[in-house]
Amino acid sequence: MIDLHYWPTPNGHKITMFLEEAGIDYNIVPVDISAGDQFKPDFLAIAPNNRMPAIVDHAPADGGAPIPVFESGAILLYLAEKTGRFIPADVRGRKSVLEWLFWQVGGLGPMAGQNHHFVQYAPERIPYAMERYVKETNRLYGVLNTRLGKSANVAGEDYSIADMAIYPWIVPHQRQQQDLDTFPHLKRWFEAVAARPATIAAYAKGEPFTKRPTVTEEGKKILFGQTARQAG
């Protein structure tokens, strides 16, 4: 039913987490981002931002032609609405889930991503940039910890797409220079999500690809040297 164009990054894991939780049949189409698969014409036809993940739904609700969806937050929302799961139907519950979903795609993901880049990959050590993004990641962890001191899950008592969006960005907390012991509510939630059978199954789906080098020297040129594509 679903083709998932995927690589085992935090954004890729979000989608396998949903698909495993919902029990939806899906087929993984690997997109090796270090080899430049994201620039192939077939992929760009469904993901014009040349970023994975993307999906193609071969059985859309309207019964029409297959629907491609790109951007991980949009994919989670599309799948939640398609299945009627992991997003509340009531206006207040839905509002809360959307707030925290957008918090992740607009805040935690980009800031932690810059943290990864300047701390792990940048060819030049830039102390200002490293400190800036490590501290901002820490601030966001604090926001999340405060929220999780008030409810079992991020958007409320029920597990939702907000949790699925956020969890994979907390998995590399050590690489982000963050200590979960200083965020007890966040740690409690993190361990609970990690223990979910669907989370375990989702991460297992990525294992065959993790044995390949994620970022080689040539891959860095592909990942970090992009400019605007020329219209053709």
PDB file of all heavy atoms in Angstrom, residues 3-18:
ATOM      1  N   ASP A   3       4.756   2.904  -0.417  1.00  0.00           N
ATOM      2  CA  ASP A   3       6.183   2.866  -0.699  1.00  0.00           C
ATOM      3  C   ASP A   3       6.836   3.937   0.153  1.00  0.00           C
ATOM      4  O   ASP A   3       6.443   5.116   0.097  1.00  0.00           O
ATOM      5  CB  ASP A   3       6.466   3.156  -2.178  1.00  0.00           C
ATOM      6  CG  ASP A   3       6.191   1.967  -3.079  1.00  0.00           C
ATOM      7  OD1 ASP A   3       6.184   0.828  -2.569  1.00  0.00           O
ATOM      8  OD2 ASP A   3       5.982   2.180  -4.285  1.00  0.00           O
ATOM      9  N   LEU A   4       7.827   3.545   0.943  1.00  0.00           N
ATOM     10  CA  LEU A   4       8.537   4.480   1.807  1.00  0.00           C
ATOM     11  C   LEU A   4       9.955   4.649   1.283  1.00  0.00           C
ATOM     12  O   LEU A   4      10.749   3.712   1.293  1.00  0.00           O
ATOM     13  CB  LEU A   4       8.572   3.963   3.249  1.00  0.00           C
ATOM     14  CG  LEU A   4       9.503   4.718   4.210  1.00  0.00           C
ATOM     15  CD1 LEU A   4       9.098   6.183   4.324  1.00  0.00           C
ATOM     16  CD2 LEU A   4       9.511   4.039   5.576  1.00  0.00           C
ATOM     17  N   HIS A   5      10.255   5.834   0.822  1.00  0.00           N
ATOM     18  CA  HIS A   5      11.598   6.185   0.366  1.00  0.00           C
ATOM     19  C   HIS A   5      12.363   6.655   1.598  1.00  0.00           C
ATOM     20  O   HIS A   5      12.038   7.707   2.171  1.00  0.00           O
ATOM     21  CB  HIS A   5      11.514   7.245  -0.730  1.00  0.00           C
ATOM     22  CG  HIS A   5      10.807   6.768  -1.949  1.00  0.00           C
ATOM     23  ND1 HIS A   5      11.462   6.386  -3.099  1.00  0.00           N
ATOM     24  CD2 HIS A   5       9.489   6.582  -2.198  1.00  0.00           C
ATOM     25  CE1 HIS A   5      10.586   5.998  -4.012  1.00  0.00           C
ATOM     26  NE2 HIS A   5       9.380   6.106  -3.483  1.00  0.00           N
ATOM     27  N   TYR A   6      13.395   5.926   1.965  1.00  0.00           N
ATOM     28  CA  TYR A   6      13.869   5.925   3.358  1.00  0.00           C
ATOM     29  C   TYR A   6      15.373   5.755   3.451  1.00  0.00           C
ATOM     30  O   TYR A   6      15.996   5.086   2.620  1.00  0.00           O
ATOM     31  CB  TYR A   6      13.160   4.761   4.059  1.00  0.00           C
ATOM     32  CG  TYR A   6      13.739   4.284   5.361  1.00  0.00           C
ATOM     33  CD1 TYR A   6      13.282   4.807   6.570  1.00  0.00           C
ATOM     34  CD2 TYR A   6      14.703   3.282   5.393  1.00  0.00           C
ATOM     35  CE1 TYR A   6      13.786   4.342   7.787  1.00  0.00           C
ATOM     36  CE2 TYR A   6      15.214   2.814   6.608  1.00  0.00           C
ATOM     37  CZ  TYR A   6      14.749   3.354   7.800  1.00  0.00           C
ATOM     38  OH  TYR A   6      15.242   2.895   8.988  1.00  0.00           O
ATOM     39  N   TRP A   7      15.923   6.355   4.497  1.00  0.00           N
ATOM     40  CA  TRP A   7      17.272   6.061   4.979  1.00  0.00           C
ATOM     41  C   TRP A   7      17.217   6.205   6.489  1.00  0.00           C
ATOM     42  O   TRP A   7      16.410   7.001   7.007  1.00  0.00           O
ATOM     43  CB  TRP A   7      18.304   7.003   4.343  1.00  0.00           C
ATOM     44  CG  TRP A   7      19.715   6.468   4.376  1.00  0.00           C
ATOM     45  CD1 TRP A   7      20.773   6.990   5.064  1.00  0.00           C
ATOM     46  CD2 TRP A   7      20.203   5.322   3.690  1.00  0.00           C
ATOM     47  NE1 TRP A   7      21.900   6.228   4.836  1.00  0.00           N
ATOM     48  CE2 TRP A   7      21.576   5.197   3.995  1.00  0.00           C
ATOM     49  CE3 TRP A   7      19.620   4.377   2.835  1.00  0.00           C
ATOM     50  CZ2 TRP A   7      22.381   4.172   3.497  1.00  0.00           C
ATOM     51  CZ3 TRP A   7      20.411   3.355   2.334  1.00  0.00           C
ATOM     52  CH2 TRP A   7      21.773   3.265   2.668  1.00  0.00           C
ATOM     53  N   PRO A   8      17.993   5.436   7.259  1.00  0.00           N
ATOM     54  CA  PRO A   8      17.837   5.409   8.718  1.00  0.00           C
ATOM     55  C   PRO A   8      18.430   6.628   9.420  1.00  0.00           C
ATOM     56  O   PRO A   8      19.412   6.561  10.153  1.00  0.00           O
ATOM     57  CB  PRO A   8      18.558   4.117   9.123  1.00  0.00           C
ATOM     58  CG  PRO A   8      19.595   3.927   8.072  1.00  0.00           C
ATOM     59  CD  PRO A   8      18.971   4.411   6.797  1.00  0.00           C
ATOM     60  N   THR A   9      17.798   7.773   9.197  1.00  0.00           N
ATOM     61  CA  THR A   9      18.101   9.010   9.908  1.00  0.00           C
ATOM     62  C   THR A   9      16.933   9.294  10.848  1.00  0.00           C
ATOM     63  O   THR A   9      15.895   8.623  10.773  1.00  0.00           O
ATOM     64  CB  THR A   9      18.243  10.175   8.915  1.00  0.00           C
ATOM     65  OG1 THR A   9      16.947  10.456   8.363  1.00  0.00           O
ATOM     66  CG2 THR A   9      19.221   9.834   7.800  1.00  0.00           C
ATOM     67  N   PRO A  10      17.052  10.291  11.730  1.00  0.00           N
ATOM     68  CA  PRO A  10      15.898  10.600  12.585  1.00  0.00           C
ATOM     69  C   PRO A  10      14.610  10.818  11.807  1.00  0.00           C
ATOM     70  O   PRO A  10      13.547  10.320  12.203  1.00  0.00           O
ATOM     71  CB  PRO A  10      16.355  11.858  13.323  1.00  0.00           C
ATOM     72  CG  PRO A  10      17.838  11.686  13.448  1.00  0.00           C
ATOM     73  CD  PRO A  10      18.257  11.058  12.148  1.00  0.00           C
ATOM     74  N   ASN A  11      14.673  11.557  10.700  1.00  0.00           N
ATOM     75  CA  ASN A  11      13.443  11.796   9.945  1.00  0.00           C
ATOM     76  C   ASN A  11      12.918  10.528   9.292  1.00  0.00           C
ATOM     77  O   ASN A  11      11.705  10.344   9.169  1.00  0.00           O
ATOM     78  CB  ASN A  11      13.674  12.889   8.899  1.00  0.00           C
ATOM     79  CG  ASN A  11      13.778  14.259   9.520  1.00  0.00           C
ATOM     80  OD1 ASN A  11      13.242  14.506  10.592  1.00  0.00           O
ATOM     81  ND2 ASN A  11      14.490  15.164   8.856  1.00  0.00           N
ATOM     82  N   GLY A  12      13.805   9.651   8.864  1.00  0.00           N
ATOM     83  CA  GLY A  12      13.362   8.377   8.318  1.00  0.00           C
ATOM     84  C   GLY A  12      12.710   7.496   9.377  1.00  0.00           C
ATOM     85  O   GLY A  12      11.668   6.864   9.135  1.00  0.00           O
ATOM     86  N   HIS A  13      13.295   7.480  10.574  1.00  0.00           N
ATOM     87  CA  HIS A  13      12.745   6.645  11.652  1.00  0.00           C
ATOM     88  C   HIS A  13      11.342   7.080  12.062  1.00  0.00           C
ATOM     89  O   HIS A  13      10.530   6.254  12.490  1.00  0.00           O
ATOM     90  CB  HIS A  13      13.661   6.687  12.875  1.00  0.00           C
ATOM     91  CG  HIS A  13      14.975   6.005  12.692  1.00  0.00           C
ATOM     92  ND1 HIS A  13      15.101   4.720  12.207  1.00  0.00           N
ATOM     93  CD2 HIS A  13      16.244   6.425  12.939  1.00  0.00           C
ATOM     94  CE1 HIS A  13      16.380   4.376  12.170  1.00  0.00           C
ATOM     95  NE2 HIS A  13      17.086   5.395  12.600  1.00  0.00           N
ATOM     96  N   LYS A  14      11.048   8.369  11.963  1.00  0.00           N
ATOM     97  CA  LYS A  14       9.697   8.829  12.311  1.00  0.00           C
ATOM     98  C   LYS A  14       8.628   8.030  11.570  1.00  0.00           C
ATOM     99  O   LYS A  14       7.592   7.659  12.136  1.00  0.00           O
ATOM    100  CB  LYS A  14       9.508  10.293  11.905  1.00  0.00           C
ATOM    101  CG  LYS A  14      10.311  11.337  12.591  1.00  0.00           C
ATOM    102  CD  LYS A  14       9.966  12.682  11.939  1.00  0.00           C
ATOM    103  CE  LYS A  14      10.868  13.791  12.365  1.00  0.00           C
ATOM    104  NZ  LYS A  14      10.546  15.050  11.655  1.00  0.00           N
ATOM    105  N   ILE A  15       8.875   7.806  10.289  1.00  0.00           N
ATOM    106  CA  ILE A  15       7.836   7.212   9.453  1.00  0.00           C
ATOM    107  C   ILE A  15       7.732   5.713   9.688  1.00  0.00           C
ATOM    108  O   ILE A  15       6.612   5.168   9.740  1.00  0.00           O
ATOM    109  CB  ILE A  15       8.083   7.523   7.962  1.00  0.00           C
ATOM    110  CG1 ILE A  15       8.382   9.020   7.773  1.00  0.00           C
ATOM    111  CG2 ILE A  15       6.874   7.092   7.134  1.00  0.00           C
ATOM    112  CD1 ILE A  15       7.364   9.961   8.359  1.00  0.00           C
ATOM    113  N   THR A  16       8.858   5.031   9.847  1.00  0.00           N
ATOM    114  CA  THR A  16       8.757   3.597  10.160  1.00  0.00           C
ATOM    115  C   THR A  16       8.099   3.399  11.522  1.00  0.00           C
ATOM    116  O   THR A  16       7.372   2.416  11.721  1.00  0.00           O
ATOM    117  CB  THR A  16      10.133   2.911  10.113  1.00  0.00           C
ATOM    118  OG1 THR A  16      11.083   3.649  10.904  1.00  0.00           O
ATOM    119  CG2 THR A  16      10.641   2.785   8.687  1.00  0.00           C
ATOM    120  N   MET A  17       8.317   4.307  12.452  1.00  0.00           N
ATOM    121  CA  MET A  17       7.642   4.200  13.749  1.00  0.00           C
ATOM    122  C   MET A  17       6.133   4.240  13.566  1.00  0.00           C
ATOM    123  O   MET A  17       5.402   3.427  14.153  1.00  0.00           O
ATOM    124  CB  MET A  17       8.110   5.308  14.692  1.00  0.00           C
ATOM    125  CG  MET A  17       9.514   5.097  15.236  1.00  0.00           C
ATOM    126  SD  MET A  17      10.093   6.489  16.251  1.00  0.00           S
ATOM    127  CE  MET A  17       8.997   6.359  17.678  1.00  0.00           C
ATOM    128  N   PHE A  18       5.638   5.176  12.762  1.00  0.00           N
ATOM    129  CA  PHE A  18       4.190   5.246  12.539  1.00  0.00           C
ATOM    130  C   PHE A  18       3.690   3.992  11.845  1.00  0.00           C
ATOM    131  O   PHE A  18       2.679   3.395  12.260  1.00  0.00           O
ATOM    132  CB  PHE A  18       3.815   6.470  11.708  1.00  0.00           C
ATOM    133  CG  PHE A  18       2.324   6.610  11.549  1.00  0.00           C
ATOM    134  CD1 PHE A  18       1.613   7.470  12.361  1.00  0.00           C
ATOM    135  CD2 PHE A  18       1.612   5.843  10.631  1.00  0.00           C
ATOM    136  CE1 PHE A  18       0.224   7.573  12.261  1.00  0.00           C
ATOM    137  CE2 PHE A  18       0.235   5.934  10.517  1.00  0.00           C
ATOM    138  CZ  PHE A  18      -0.466   6.804  11.333  1.00  0.00           C
TER     139      PHE A  18
END
